[in-house]
Amino acid sequence: MCGISGYIGNKDAYPIIINGLKRLEYRGYDSAGVLMYDGAEINLSKTKGKVSALEEITNKDPKRKEGNIGIGHTRWATHGVPNDLNSHPHLSQSGDLAIVHNGIIENYDTLRKELISRGYTFQSDTDTEVLVNLIEEVKKQEKCKLGKAVQMALTQVTGAYAIAVFDKKKPNEIVVAKLGSPIAIGIGKNNKEFFIASDASPFIEFTKNAVYLEDEEMAIIKLGRDIRVRKIMNDLQIETSIQELQLSLEQIEKGGYDHFMIKEIHEQPKAIIDTYRGRMLADQGIIKMAGVDDNLEKFLNAERIIIVACGTSWHAGLVGEYLFEDMARIPVEVEYASEFRYRNPIISSKDIVIAISQSGETADTLAAIKLAKSKGAFVFGVCNVVGSSIARETDAGAYTHAGPEIGVASTKAFTTQITVLSLIALKLAKAKGTLSNSAFHTYLQKMQLIPSKVEKLLQLDEKVKEIARVYKDAKNCLYLGRGFNFPVALEGALKLKEISYIHAEGYPAAEMKHGPIALIDENMPIFVIATNKGHYDKVVSNIQEIKSRSGKIIAIVTEGDVTVKEIADHVIEIPETEEALTPLLTTIPFQLLSYHIAVMLDKNVDQPRNLAKSVTVE
Ligand code: M6R
């Protein structure tokens, strides 16, 4: 996935575009580029590396920054290695047209051969350069305007795209289009300026009004004129819907923290409150969730819930499985969206599919949703990004309200996803009568206390940092948990590997003796969740087994624990809560630990190598 940032108006476009690209670097950061039009000439600057590398180039030659119109890009490579030539924007053969693109043109090879036979040559290995030349060829053949040429070219394309196209000969307009990848248009006062971006963060300080294109839509953005949105396939003009943005600048800045990840870890108490605020009325013993209330019969009659997700969201889905089955007694299957979409799964109209995604843009999850819908299942989304593709594609849903998550490693997304899933499970359990009234009320009271307990855990930062210092040079780590905390073990291991590049594996504690126990020696740190409820004695036995093989034990226990404290090398205490809610607490020390290890190892915490915040390609 990649980030697109563009501007057309009366301000200097360069700083707006560059700041926008920096905010979008979570989408990809292996190369960057910007094209400026200064009223007479195009100035194209692009390079392998981050936006800061691009700035080094433009700072040496201020002419590269001139103009009131431009398009920029930060890339996560798909076709062609990250290098200067493959960086966007790409120019057409004549040099008149320029494009930035997020997505993949699947039939690019056929199109490329066709264009080569018509005399086109290519400078890069990208599918994007094929697209801009296809648009140029259509424009030439049809003798039409840019908008029409873009529309006609896109009808020949299979794949996914969000694009912004500029024509030097029509320098007061930019054409944008979307299929599968997001694009938002910020609208300035009286249409005197427009902002184009992959999400609204690049233009939040300039306007609160935005249009989000839907799939197969395109728009011609022209100064002084209302935006016109058309359907790509049949050229029909459709009504433009302008949304008022809720995002604030403060929400997307680091606010004094060194990294977004640690800021987002610390935001969790508030994020959890924001997630249940207005939904969980603990005093009245009610959970109100419009997406569930409106479809309650469907939920109650569901023969099965299938949860589809990827990465951290999949781990939250596993917690969901434990919650739904334990509380509401509904059978649940949790599927990697990438497997589900291709394995010809059995899905029926009696199934409810819950798709979980922070970004709401993950390609595999989106494809799994489309498959489930085509088989007649009711699809419910749990997303963080408002207005995202998954939020729009699902039949109903619940937002997590975590606020923007910029760090590539998911933290507050995970805890707020679990919060939403807990609310749904409790609500269904109450409606089905599978949980007693008193248990239901207890859960609500205990849930209300979770944010202050997370706050308390965050104060253990120094202690966790000390543990991080001891184990930062480990080559391999094992994470063990049982029941509700098995998914937390998986998530702990994922956090460590993705930002510190230390190999880590998560396992159900009892599975250790079926293989991983062979790995244990005096060099192996093993992080074990041993909270006082749910299989405590059995996990203590596992800890003994580790100890007798000289493994280093870092245990997460409940406050007041005595037994594990005597055996483990380090313990971190979490406050007491209901077993089903412990994942909201046990995950916090693991997040802090991964963060500190990555910082100590001097890794790029917010933008780990090879990763992108959301994976909008297969
Ligand atoms: O945006 P999504 O929740 O759909 O993203 C799914 C995964 O790509 C994501 O959780 C990924 O595993 C994170 N980097 C984990 O920290």
Side-chain angles (χ1 to χ4, degrees), residues 254 256-266 409 411 461 464-465 468 479 492 495-496 499-500 588-606:
K254 283 189 199 150
Y257 288 95
D258 289 340
H259 301 95
F260 282 111
M261 183 183 176
I262 190 71
K263 176 186 176 232
E264 288 155 8
I265 289 173
H266 280 269
T411 51
D461 195 45
V464 178
K465 209 168 176 176
Y479 283 72
K495 285 291 86 82
L496 186 68
I499 59 169
S500 69
I588 308 293
F590 287 164
Q591 295 172 347
L592 290 171
L593 185 94
S594 315
Y595 172 76
H596 288 304
I597 290 183
V599 171
M600 286 169 193
L601 295 178
D602 205 19
K603 302 296 184 216
N604 189 335
V605 173
D606 285 332

Side-chain angles (χ1 to χ4, degrees), residues 309-314 356-362 365 390 405 407-411 413 417 491 494-495 498 611-615:
C310 302
T312 289
S313 299
W314 186 82
I356 308 175
S357 173
Q358 186 287 129
S359 61
E361 301 295 344
T362 301
T365 310
I390 291 176
E405 191 181 68
V408 164
S410 260
T411 51
Q417 285 164 348
E491 175 62 7
L494 175 63
K495 285 291 86 82
E498 72 179 322
L611 285 172
K613 180 64 184 161
S614 71
V615 184

Side-chain angles (χ1 to χ4, degrees), residues 44-87:
L44 179 61
S45 315
K46 49 188 203 170
T47 180
K48 180 180 173 184
K50 299 199 167 173
V51 178
S52 54
L54 176 65
E55 282 183 294
E56 280 171 28
I57 295 172
T58 53
N59 285 344
K60 284 184 200 142
D61 180 5
K63 209 167 154 32
R64 290 174 178 273
K65 302 183 185 178
E66 283 172 15
N68 308 115
I69 180 165
I71 49 177
H73 190 266
T74 178
R75 179 170 186 245
W76 187 78
T78 56
H79 291 71
V81 295
N83 64 22
D84 296 357
L85 280 179
N86 288 336
S87 309

Side-chain angles (χ1 to χ4, degrees), residues 533-550:
K533 295 185 185 131
H535 326 290
Y536 178 75
D537 293 341
K538 294 187 191 306
V539 178
V540 171
S541 303
N542 296 139
I543 291 176
Q544 297 280 17
E545 287 157 10
I546 299 166
K547 191 73 186 170
S548 49
R549 284 155 186 88
S550 307

